[in-house]
Amino acid sequence: MMRFPALLTGAALAVLMGAAGCQRPADVPTAAGPPPGLPPGPPAALPDSLVLTPVPAVVEVPDTLRRAIAQLHAALGPAAAALRPAVLEQACVGYLTLRRTDPSFRAGLLAVADMDLPNTEERLWVLDLKNAKVLYRSLVAHGEGSGHLRARRFSNQEASACTSLGFYRTAGSYDGIHGYSRRLEGLDKGENANAYNRYVVLHAADYASPAYVRQHGHLGYSRGCPALPPEQFKAIISTVQGGTTLLLSGPGLHSRWLDGPVATRRFLARGWG
């Protein structure tokens, strides 16, 4: 995937400057109101509001499984504190449903990215479910077409440059223009099923690094790939070998794999294995 770093829009830059305590230019009205003599106008639009979108609970998840997921979240410890419980629930239900449907999915390993979080946060987790351990947590970029600080638009279409939400199965690794990379198979028809043909893959990118955030105040953007920091990509890509379940979660996620009853039957029979 090609690198397409982008600058923040003026509005988004103003938000960041305010958050950082930067001095406001003299000709910009302050929060106290408009200049004397002008009628009050609507509040300024915040295209990259940091108020996260509420995540609906997965329907028909029995209390037995819901408690087990809550216990897992607590056992994962501080490294998973920013992983929202409802997103973890989505990921676990999908993982269990996929494992019941196809046991060849890798047992006990789950990767989940909350693409609603700002791209300045480490919003990708690789989890060892059996040992309740966070193996990796890292930054991850979203597509140029999906938004700025947060991914707000998603598409399965060719040339959209958007992130596609849904469940993925990791496939083979290869050496491409970004070096060591891993193919992804989208498992949700209409949501991410074009990912393989779009070459949406895991790969490294310098615009997905902490250094880029320090310099620009945000990550750069891919053409839809969940691009990883150069410091971590080899370890992450090596760990999520073919057959690993990956969820890219975000506003408007729809997936046939969010099947609470099926997931529960799998959990009661085999646990997280």
Side-chain angles (χ1 to χ4, degrees), residues 11 64 66 69 105 133 152-153 161 165 173 194 201 222 272:
T64 300
R66 194 152 272 154
I69 295 172
F105 275 84
K133 182 178 180 181
R152 310 299 290 274
R153 299 175 298 278
L165 300 181
S173 62
N194 288 334
V201 304
S222 70
W272 295 117

Side-chain angles (χ1 to χ4, degrees), residues 9-131:
T9 64
L13 182 58
V15 172
L16 288 178
M17 289 177 64
C22 296
Q23 185 174 356
R24 187 183 297 271
D27 60 347
V28 177
T30 67
L38 292 181
L46 300 177
D48 281 310
S49 168
L50 298 184
V51 179
L52 300 183
T53 306
V55 181
V58 181
V59 299
E60 297 183 355
V61 176
D63 288 343
T64 300
L65 179 56
R66 194 152 272 154
R67 285 195 299 267
I69 295 172
Q71 290 168 0
L72 171 66
H73 190 271
L76 289 170
L83 175 54
R84 292 187 287 173
V87 173
L88 179 61
E89 180 178 271
Q90 290 176 339
C92 289
V93 169
Y95 160 81
L96 290 166
T97 302
L98 287 165
R99 284 280 292 153
R100 182 174 176 86
T101 304
D102 183 355
S104 69
F105 275 84
R106 292 191 67 198
L109 189 65
L110 173 62
V112 53
D114 184 352
M115 304 305 279
D116 195 39
L117 291 172
N119 63 14
T120 52
E121 294 191 26
E122 293 180 319
R123 54 183 179 171
L124 170 70
W125 291 262
V126 180
L127 307 177
D128 176 347
L129 298 178
K130 293 181 180 179
N131 297 304

Side-chain angles (χ1 to χ4, degrees), residues 215-230:
Q215 182 176 357
H216 299 279
H218 62 97
L219 289 188
Y221 309 101
S222 70
R223 295 291 293 173
C225 293
L228 301 170

